Amino acid sequence: MDKKEFWQLIDSAKKASGGDQGLQEKELISSLEKYAPEEIIDFECLLCECLIEADDFGIMAAQKILDGYVSDDSYLYFRCWLVGQGESVFKAALDKPDTLAAVLDAPYQDFEELLSVATTAFQKRTGKEEEDETFPREIAASRGLDYDSDSFTKGEDWTESQLPKLLPKLWKKFGSA
């Protein structure tokens, strides 16, 4: 599986779900479980690459404006949400996080369930129940794609007082006075 196919799966599931993340998760699992185990592993690796790529102070600033706080978990789940929005939203946000103002209607966006899609599809495809070193997340980590410990936040750090000027559209829509 290459990046193009990865994004096609994400975009297709997003479209089919009509914005319902539970349905999007099921759509992704249903599509992925038809792939060979190696391709399911590729999906996990590509997901990890995207999560690492999105580890950026601009993305973190967007989440801070939306939620009013940033924690390790909330930041990871927000990046999952960002991937789940599809390739065009993802790439636009990485380039200019303030573009998210046009996509968001409410704060507290997360898609934690995206983290288990490949594992569930792999279990269904292989019949293996107990996770071991052959599972997608373990293989991704062995390839240096651990979004928790192998990721370093890119870009320029900010202070809270800089947020209104840093991301003016998001601040106007969700920021506090």
Side-chain angles (χ1 to χ4, degrees), residues 2-161:
D2 60 13
K3 268 198 174 186
K4 182 179 179 185
E5 195 167 4
F6 170 84
W7 284 117
Q8 285 173 340
L9 283 169
I10 296 285
D11 289 336
S12 175
K14 169 85 172 138
K15 185 177 180 183
S17 71
D20 178 330
Q21 284 183 332
L23 187 54
Q24 186 178 2
E25 174 191 11
K26 288 176 183 158
E27 289 283 334
L28 278 169
I29 292 167
S30 176
S31 295
L32 266 180
E33 69 181 282
K34 296 173 186 148
Y35 284 84
E38 298 78 27
E39 291 177 300
I40 298 171
I41 291 166
D42 289 343
F43 178 91
E44 176 74 16
C45 290
L46 290 163
L47 172 61
C48 292
E49 285 176 13
C50 288
L51 294 173
I52 291 168
E53 186 180 4
D55 189 358
D56 183 274
F57 280 112
I59 300 299
M60 186 185 293
Q63 197 238 327
K64 170 70 173 169
I65 290 170
L66 289 166
D67 296 351
Y69 71 97
V70 175
S71 70
D72 289 345
D73 287 343
S74 69
Y75 179 50
L76 173 60
Y77 305 154
F78 179 71
R79 288 181 288 151
C80 289
W81 172 85
L82 184 57
V83 172
Q85 296 311 295
E87 184 176 21
S88 62
V89 171
F90 180 81
K91 289 187 174 188
L94 290 188
D95 186 47
K96 190 172 181 183
D98 215 20
T99 60
L100 290 173
V103 202
L104 288 161
D105 293 322
Y108 304 109
Q109 299 299 322
D110 71 70
F111 192 12
E112 177 184 2
E113 297 79 9
L114 186 59
L115 296 174
S116 62
V117 164
T119 297
T120 303
F122 188 84
Q123 287 173 317
K124 289 182 174 209
R125 179 75 164 125
T126 63
K128 290 183 174 184
E129 290 299 317
E130 293 295 317
E131 290 190 45
D132 60 23
E133 71 281 350
T134 66
F135 270 67
R137 190 169 303 143
E138 291 298 318
I139 291 178
S142 75
R143 294 179 183 172
L145 296 170
D146 184 343
Y147 44 78
D148 283 328
S149 63
D150 291 341
S151 187
F152 298 97
T153 308
K154 296 168 282 309
E156 267 188 63
D157 201 353
W158 42 263
T159 63
E160 285 191 46
S161 64

